[in-house]
C-alpha cells in the first residue's frame, strides 16, 4: 500500500489529550566543546573522510550543493557545533514558541565523569539548569543517558565491548537518577545500540572501527547488559521512573514473495530489530521507536527500495513503514513513544510532507489500538551528523554555522499547527 492509498483508510480525529509533542537532540551533536571518544576520532579521521566524500556522495542529486563542504576536513570536526551548551535557553524558547511540550536531550557522560569515579558537580549543575529551563517552559524532559559517546577513560578500558562497561554505565545512571531524579520522569538508557553495533563493529566505520564478528556479538551482550543494569539502578532510586531504551527499527520486507527473499528479510529483521530487544528481557516501562529506514530485501541481501522520495542523504522516505513497525505484537503491550523520526532536507522542501505522512500512519496504528503517547521529530536544530559532519540538515530550526544564528524553518510552523490543534486536521 503506498501512502496515497492511506487516504482511503484515514479517519483524522485528534490525538489524545496529553500527547507528547516535541523534538530530540543529543549532546555531542549540538552542545559543542565535548571531549570524548568521538571528538578524538574526528580529529584523526577528518582528512580521510573529506577525501572519501566524493566516492561516497557524488551519486546524490544535491552533490554540487554539498561538495565544497563535504570535501572540507573542517566539516568532520564537531567543534563548537551549535553552541547549544551555552544557548539552550534560546533554543528552548524556540521550541516553546512552536508549542512543544516535551524535549528529548542527552547528558554527556564525559562531562559528568571526565575521569573514572570523579564526578563534576559543575556539569551536573549544568544539566540541572537545562532540566529546570525545560520545566519553566512547560516542556517535559526526556533524558537520554548514552547517545553513543563515551569518556576517554572508558574508551581506554575497551569501550562498549569491555565487560566492565555495564557496571560503569549503571553507576553513572544511578548517579544521574540520584542527582536529577526529582525532576525527571522519563529516562532513556541507551540510544540506538544497534546503530553502534552495526557501524562500529559489523561495518567498522565508526569509532573504534573494530570490524569483527567477535566484537559485534560482544557489543550486543555488553550493551544489553548495560541497559538492564542501568534500568535496575535507576529503578532502585526512583520508583516511578519510566525507563526504556531508544530502539531504531528498520522496516524489513522481502522484495518478492518467494521463500529466499522471505528468509533473508527475516534474518535481517532478527539481527537489526529483534535480537537486542530479546537480550534486554522485560526491562522496559515503555517502547521507544526510532524510525528512518525501509529495506526491501532481495536474496542474497541486496536492498532494492522503490526510492520514490529521498532525503538529502539519499535515504528513502517511506512513511508507511512506521505503521507496520508499530503493529508488531510487542508494541501493543506497553506505551510507545516515537523518540526519533526525521530527515535531512536543507531546502525544507519535503519536511512538512514527511511529518504529516508519518503522523497519519502513526495515527492509523493508534486507531487500531497501539498506545502511542508521543512523537519527537529529529531534530530541533541542524546539527553534527556523526561521520557525515555538518552538511545534512535535519533541523526544524536552521543553524547558520558562521554566526550561530537560529532561523525557524517553515515546516516547523506547520508542525506547530498540528501540535496546537492536537490533530492532523488543523
Ligand atoms: C539517528 C541518531 C541521531 C541522528 C539521526 C539522524 O540514528 O540517533 O543521533 O544522527 O539518526
Amino acid at each position: 500500500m503506498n501512502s496515497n492509498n492511506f487516504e482511503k483508510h484515514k479517519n483524522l480525529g485528534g490525538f489524545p489529550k496529553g500527547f507528547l509533542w516535541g523534538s530530540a537532540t543529543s549532546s555531542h551533536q549540538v552542545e559543542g566543546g565535548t571531549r570524548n571518544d568521538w571528538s578524538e576520532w574526528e580529529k584523526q579521521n577528518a582528512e580521510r573522510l573529506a577525501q572519501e566524500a566524493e566516492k561516497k556522495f557524488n551519486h546524490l542529486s544535491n552533490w554540487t550543493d554539498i561538495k565544497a563542504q563535504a570535501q572540507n576536513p573542517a566539516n568532520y570536526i564537531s567543534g563548537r557545533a551549535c553552541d547549544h551548551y551555552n544557548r539552550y535557553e534560546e533554543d528552548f524558547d524556540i521550541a516553546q514558541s512552536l508549542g512543544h511540550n516535551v524535549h528529548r536531550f542527552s547528558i554527556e557522560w564525559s562531562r559528568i565523569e571526565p575521569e573514572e569515579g570523579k564526578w563534576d558537580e559543575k556539569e551536573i549543575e549544568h544539566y540541572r539548569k537545562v532540566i529546570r529551563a525545560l520545566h519553566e517552559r512547560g516542556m517535559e524532559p526526556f533524558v537520554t543517558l548514552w547517545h553513543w559517546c563515551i569518556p576517554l577513560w572508558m574508551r581506554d578500558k575497551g569501550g562498549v565491548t569491555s565487560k566492565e562497561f555495564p557496571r560503569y554505565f549503571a553507576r553513572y545512571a544511578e548517579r544521574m537518577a540520584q542527582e536529577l531524579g526529582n525532576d525527571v520522569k522519563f529516562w532513556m538508557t541507551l540510544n540506538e545500540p544497534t546503530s553502534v553495533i552495526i557501524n562500529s563493529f559489523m561495518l567498522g566505520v565508526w569509532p573504534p572501527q573494530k570490524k569483527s564478528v567477535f566484537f559485534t556479538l560482544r557489543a550486543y551482550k555488553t550493551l544489553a547488559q548495560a541497559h538492564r543494569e542501568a534500568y535496575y539502578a535507576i529503578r532502585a532510586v526512583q520508583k516511578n521512573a519510566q525507563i526504556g531504551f531508544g530502539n531504531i527499527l528498520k522496516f524489513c520486507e522481502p522484495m518478492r514473495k518467494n521463500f529466499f527473499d522471505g528468509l533473508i528479510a527475516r534474518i535481517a529483521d532478527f539481527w537489526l530489530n529483534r535480537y537486542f530487544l530479546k537480550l534486554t528481557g522485560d526491562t522496559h516501562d515503555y517502547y521507544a521507536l526510532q524510525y528512518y529506514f525501509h529495506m526491501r530485501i532481495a536474496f542474497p541481501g541486496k536492498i532494492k527500495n522503490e526510492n520514490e522520495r529521498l532525503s538529502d542523504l539519499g535515504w528513502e522516505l517511506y512513511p508507511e513503514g512506521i505503521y507496520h513497525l508499530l503493529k508488531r505484537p510487542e508494541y501493543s503491550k506497553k506505551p510507545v513513544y516515537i523518540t526519533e523520526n526525521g530527515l535531512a532536507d536543507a531546502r525544507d522542501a519535503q519536511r512538512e510532507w514527511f511529518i504529516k505522512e508519518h503522523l497519519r500512519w502513526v495515527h492509523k496504528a493508534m486507531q487500531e489500538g497501539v498506545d502511542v503517547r508521543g512523537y519527537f521529530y529529529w531534530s530541533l536544530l541542524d546539527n553534527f551528523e556523526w561521520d557525515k559532519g555538518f552538511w545534512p540538515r535535519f533541523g526544524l530550526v536552521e543553524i547558520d554555522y558562521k554566526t550561530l544564528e537560529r532561523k525557524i524553518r517553515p515546516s516547523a510552523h506547520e508542525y506547530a499547527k498540528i501540535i496546537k490543534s492536537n490533530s492532523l486536521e488543523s
Side-chain angles (χ1 to χ4, degrees), residues 25-26 29 104 147-148 191-192 195 206 248 290 292-293 313 315 340 342 378 383-386 394:
T25 56
S26 89
Q29 295 178 275
R104 179 181 158 226
H147 201 119
W148 300 353
N191 175 69
E192 296 187 1
S195 297
W206 284 359
I248 181 168
Q290 313 199 158
Y292 294 93
F293 297 107
L313 276 159
W315 300 357
E340 281 186 35
W378 180 272
N383 60 58
F384 179 74
E385 178 53 23
W386 308 109
F394 278 90

Side-chain angles (χ1 to χ4, degrees), residues 205-406:
V205 294
W206 284 359
Q209 293 192 278
K210 283 192 196 160
K211 182 175 172 178
S212 96
V213 175
F214 173 77
F215 282 118
T216 301
L217 295 174
R218 180 62 103 66
Y220 273 108
K221 296 264 151 91
T222 50
L223 283 166
Q225 198 188 331
H227 164 75
R228 289 196 311 267
E229 289 192 18
Y231 178 92
Y232 291 120
I234 300 168
R235 171 64 74 242
V237 178
Q238 215 189 329
K239 296 276 163 297
N240 304 325
Q242 289 289 299
I243 313 161
F245 76 94
N247 203 7
I248 181 168
L249 293 189
K250 301 182 175 168
F251 176 48
C252 303
E253 55 175 349
M255 158 81 185
R256 294 156 299 205
K257 280 200 171 59
N258 66 36
F259 174 78
F260 287 107
D261 285 8
L263 180 70
I264 199 75
R266 278 206 303 282
I267 292 172
D269 184 56
F270 177 77
W271 287 107
L272 297 173
N273 298 333
R274 291 189 190 278
Y275 183 49
F276 192 87
L277 192 62
K278 209 166 119 101
L279 291 176
T280 56
D282 194 29
T283 49
H284 321 268
D285 301 322
Y286 63 85
Y287 288 114
L289 168 63
Q290 313 199 158
Y291 174 63
Y292 294 93
F293 297 107
H294 175 211
M295 293 169 70
R296 199 188 294 271
I297 312 179
F299 190 82
K302 241 195 154 10
I303 297 164
K304 296 187 176 172
N305 287 355
E306 286 169 331
N307 290 338
E308 272 175 33
R309 281 185 185 242
L310 299 173
S311 78
D312 290 353
L313 276 159
W315 300 357
E316 186 194 24
L317 307 179
Y318 193 71
E320 181 180 336
I322 202 167
Y323 166 78
H324 297 294
L325 293 169
L326 285 170
K327 292 287 284 186
R328 289 175 163 227
E330 61 269 27
Y331 283 90
S332 63
K333 297 195 186 116
K334 285 185 182 162
V336 181
Y337 297 88
I338 317 278
T339 42
E340 281 186 35
N341 176 230
L343 82 165
D345 178 16
R347 292 171 194 220
D348 204 35
Q350 311 199 78
R351 193 169 281 105
E352 177 186 346
W353 170 87
F354 179 97
I355 293 174
K356 286 184 176 163
E357 284 305 303
H358 280 85
L359 286 174
R360 291 212 162 94
W361 287 103
V362 170
H363 190 267
K364 177 171 158 62
M366 290 169 73
Q367 283 184 313
E368 294 169 10
V370 187
D371 185 10
V372 182
R373 299 200 182 171
Y375 176 85
F376 310 1
Y377 176 80
W378 180 272
S379 174
L380 177 62
L381 310 170
D382 286 342
N383 60 58
F384 179 74
E385 178 53 23
W386 308 109
D387 59 339
K388 319 281 187 317
F390 284 107
W391 65 260
R393 301 281 188 154
F394 278 90
L396 292 170
V397 177
E398 182 183 345
I399 303 280
D400 177 333
Y401 287 110
K402 285 207 180 81
T403 61
L404 291 177
E405 191 197 332
R406 275 81 168 135

